[in-house]
PDB file of all heavy atoms in Angstrom:
ATOM      1  N   TRP A 342     228.409  34.785 101.557  1.00 93.00           N
ATOM      2  CA  TRP A 342     228.589  34.729 100.112  1.00 93.00           C
ATOM      3  C   TRP A 342     229.516  33.610  99.646  1.00 93.00           C
ATOM      4  O   TRP A 342     229.401  33.126  98.526  1.00 93.00           O
ATOM      5  CB  TRP A 342     229.171  36.060  99.612  1.00 93.00           C
ATOM      6  CG  TRP A 342     228.279  37.237  99.751  1.00 93.00           C
ATOM      7  CD1 TRP A 342     227.102  37.331 100.428  1.00 93.00           C
ATOM      8  CD2 TRP A 342     228.508  38.540  99.192  1.00 93.00           C
ATOM      9  NE1 TRP A 342     226.586  38.581 100.333  1.00 93.00           N
ATOM     10  CE2 TRP A 342     227.427  39.365  99.580  1.00 93.00           C
ATOM     11  CE3 TRP A 342     229.522  39.085  98.416  1.00 93.00           C
ATOM     12  CZ2 TRP A 342     227.335  40.703  99.206  1.00 93.00           C
ATOM     13  CZ3 TRP A 342     229.433  40.430  98.035  1.00 93.00           C
ATOM     14  CH2 TRP A 342     228.347  41.217  98.424  1.00 93.00           C
ATOM     15  N   LYS A 343     230.463  33.234 100.468  1.00 91.00           N
ATOM     16  CA  LYS A 343     231.559  32.381 100.011  1.00 91.00           C
ATOM     17  C   LYS A 343     231.111  31.098  99.314  1.00 91.00           C
ATOM     18  O   LYS A 343     231.573  30.807  98.201  1.00 91.00           O
ATOM     19  CB  LYS A 343     232.485  32.055 101.185  1.00 91.00           C
ATOM     20  CG  LYS A 343     233.261  33.252 101.712  1.00 91.00           C
ATOM     21  CD  LYS A 343     234.143  32.857 102.894  1.00 91.00           C
ATOM     22  CE  LYS A 343     234.884  34.064 103.452  1.00 91.00           C
ATOM     23  NZ  LYS A 343     235.719  33.696 104.634  1.00 91.00           N
ATOM     24  N   PRO A 344     230.224  30.283  99.927  1.00 89.00           N
ATOM     25  CA  PRO A 344     229.882  29.027  99.252  1.00 89.00           C
ATOM     26  C   PRO A 344     229.201  29.236  97.902  1.00 89.00           C
ATOM     27  O   PRO A 344     229.374  28.429  96.984  1.00 89.00           O
ATOM     28  CB  PRO A 344     228.949  28.329 100.256  1.00 89.00           C
ATOM     29  CG  PRO A 344     228.445  29.412 101.141  1.00 89.00           C
ATOM     30  CD  PRO A 344     229.536  30.418 101.226  1.00 89.00           C
ATOM     31  N   TYR A 345     228.442  30.314  97.767  1.00 91.00           N
ATOM     32  CA  TYR A 345     227.775  30.579  96.500  1.00 91.00           C
ATOM     33  C   TYR A 345     228.791  30.956  95.407  1.00 91.00           C
ATOM     34  O   TYR A 345     228.705  30.487  94.269  1.00 91.00           O
ATOM     35  CB  TYR A 345     226.760  31.713  96.660  1.00 91.00           C
ATOM     36  CG  TYR A 345     225.601  31.406  97.576  1.00 91.00           C
ATOM     37  CD1 TYR A 345     225.648  31.755  98.919  1.00 91.00           C
ATOM     38  CD2 TYR A 345     224.460  30.769  97.105  1.00 91.00           C
ATOM     39  CE1 TYR A 345     224.582  31.488  99.770  1.00 91.00           C
ATOM     40  CE2 TYR A 345     223.383  30.502  97.936  1.00 91.00           C
ATOM     41  CZ  TYR A 345     223.448  30.860  99.272  1.00 91.00           C
ATOM     42  OH  TYR A 345     222.394  30.593 100.103  1.00 91.00           O
ATOM     43  N   LEU A 346     229.741  31.806  95.763  1.00 94.00           N
ATOM     44  CA  LEU A 346     230.743  32.227  94.783  1.00 94.00           C
ATOM     45  C   LEU A 346     231.629  31.053  94.367  1.00 94.00           C
ATOM     46  O   LEU A 346     231.955  30.884  93.181  1.00 94.00           O
ATOM     47  CB  LEU A 346     231.592  33.361  95.358  1.00 94.00           C
ATOM     48  CG  LEU A 346     230.835  34.643  95.731  1.00 94.00           C
ATOM     49  CD1 LEU A 346     231.800  35.660  96.340  1.00 94.00           C
ATOM     50  CD2 LEU A 346     230.130  35.234  94.524  1.00 94.00           C
ATOM     51  N   GLN A 347     232.016  30.253  95.341  1.00 91.00           N
ATOM     52  CA  GLN A 347     232.874  29.107  95.038  1.00 91.00           C
ATOM     53  C   GLN A 347     232.139  28.082  94.192  1.00 91.00           C
ATOM     54  O   GLN A 347     232.721  27.425  93.325  1.00 91.00           O
ATOM     55  CB  GLN A 347     233.378  28.481  96.343  1.00 91.00           C
ATOM     56  CG  GLN A 347     234.378  29.379  97.067  1.00 91.00           C
ATOM     57  CD  GLN A 347     234.630  28.957  98.499  1.00 91.00           C
ATOM     58  OE1 GLN A 347     233.808  28.258  99.113  1.00 91.00           O
ATOM     59  NE2 GLN A 347     235.758  29.386  99.058  1.00 91.00           N
ATOM     60  N   ARG A 348     230.835  27.964  94.423  1.00 90.00           N
ATOM     61  CA  ARG A 348     230.024  27.072  93.612  1.00 90.00           C
ATOM     62  C   ARG A 348     229.864  27.634  92.196  1.00 90.00           C
ATOM     63  O   ARG A 348     229.898  26.890  91.207  1.00 90.00           O
ATOM     64  CB  ARG A 348     228.651  26.912  94.276  1.00 90.00           C
ATOM     65  CG  ARG A 348     227.609  26.187  93.462  1.00 90.00           C
ATOM     66  CD  ARG A 348     227.828  24.706  93.480  1.00 90.00           C
ATOM     67  NE  ARG A 348     226.726  24.011  92.853  1.00 90.00           N
ATOM     68  CZ  ARG A 348     226.823  22.794  92.346  1.00 90.00           C
ATOM     69  NH1 ARG A 348     227.966  22.141  92.426  1.00 90.00           N
ATOM     70  NH2 ARG A 348     225.782  22.212  91.785  1.00 90.00           N
ATOM     71  N   ALA A 349     229.724  28.937  92.075  1.00 93.00           N
ATOM     72  CA  ALA A 349     229.455  29.562  90.781  1.00 93.00           C
ATOM     73  C   ALA A 349     230.575  29.300  89.780  1.00 93.00           C
ATOM     74  O   ALA A 349     230.321  29.051  88.599  1.00 93.00           O
ATOM     75  CB  ALA A 349     229.243  31.059  90.961  1.00 93.00           C
ATOM     76  N   ILE A 350     231.814  29.383  90.242  1.00 93.00           N
ATOM     77  CA  ILE A 350     232.938  29.255  89.297  1.00 93.00           C
ATOM     78  C   ILE A 350     233.131  27.818  88.825  1.00 93.00           C
ATOM     79  O   ILE A 350     233.978  27.558  87.966  1.00 93.00           O
ATOM     80  CB  ILE A 350     234.253  29.802  89.898  1.00 93.00           C
ATOM     81  CG1 ILE A 350     234.619  29.062  91.178  1.00 93.00           C
ATOM     82  CG2 ILE A 350     234.133  31.301  90.143  1.00 93.00           C
ATOM     83  CD1 ILE A 350     235.965  29.493  91.751  1.00 93.00           C
ATOM     84  N   THR A 351     232.346  26.870  89.361  1.00 92.00           N
ATOM     85  CA  THR A 351     232.397  25.492  88.852  1.00 92.00           C
ATOM     86  C   THR A 351     231.399  25.274  87.720  1.00 92.00           C
ATOM     87  O   THR A 351     231.426  24.231  87.065  1.00 92.00           O
ATOM     88  CB  THR A 351     232.092  24.478  89.970  1.00 92.00           C
ATOM     89  OG1 THR A 351     230.715  24.606  90.385  1.00 92.00           O
ATOM     90  CG2 THR A 351     233.008  24.688  91.165  1.00 92.00           C
ATOM     91  N   LEU A 352     230.500  26.245  87.500  1.00 92.00           N
ATOM     92  CA  LEU A 352     229.509  26.111  86.423  1.00 92.00           C
ATOM     93  C   LEU A 352     230.179  26.252  85.062  1.00 92.00           C
ATOM     94  O   LEU A 352     231.220  26.893  84.919  1.00 92.00           O
ATOM     95  CB  LEU A 352     228.412  27.167  86.571  1.00 92.00           C
ATOM     96  CG  LEU A 352     227.552  27.113  87.839  1.00 92.00           C
ATOM     97  CD1 LEU A 352     226.515  28.238  87.814  1.00 92.00           C
ATOM     98  CD2 LEU A 352     226.855  25.770  87.976  1.00 92.00           C
ATOM     99  N   GLN A 353     229.516  25.699  84.056  1.00 92.00           N
ATOM    100  CA  GLN A 353     230.013  25.805  82.682  1.00 92.00           C
ATOM    101  C   GLN A 353     228.873  26.294  81.791  1.00 92.00           C
ATOM    102  O   GLN A 353     228.215  25.503  81.110  1.00 92.00           O
ATOM    103  CB  GLN A 353     230.550  24.457  82.197  1.00 92.00           C
ATOM    104  CG  GLN A 353     231.755  23.976  82.996  1.00 92.00           C
ATOM    105  CD  GLN A 353     232.293  22.652  82.484  1.00 92.00           C
ATOM    106  OE1 GLN A 353     231.586  21.877  81.847  1.00 92.00           O
ATOM    107  NE2 GLN A 353     233.566  22.401  82.762  1.00 92.00           N
TER     108      GLN A 353
END
Side-chain angles (χ1 to χ4, degrees):
W342 294 10
K343 292 179 182 178
Y345 295 94
L346 299 178
Q347 290 166 338
R348 171 77 172 157
I350 59 176
T351 67
L352 298 180
Q353 296 181 337

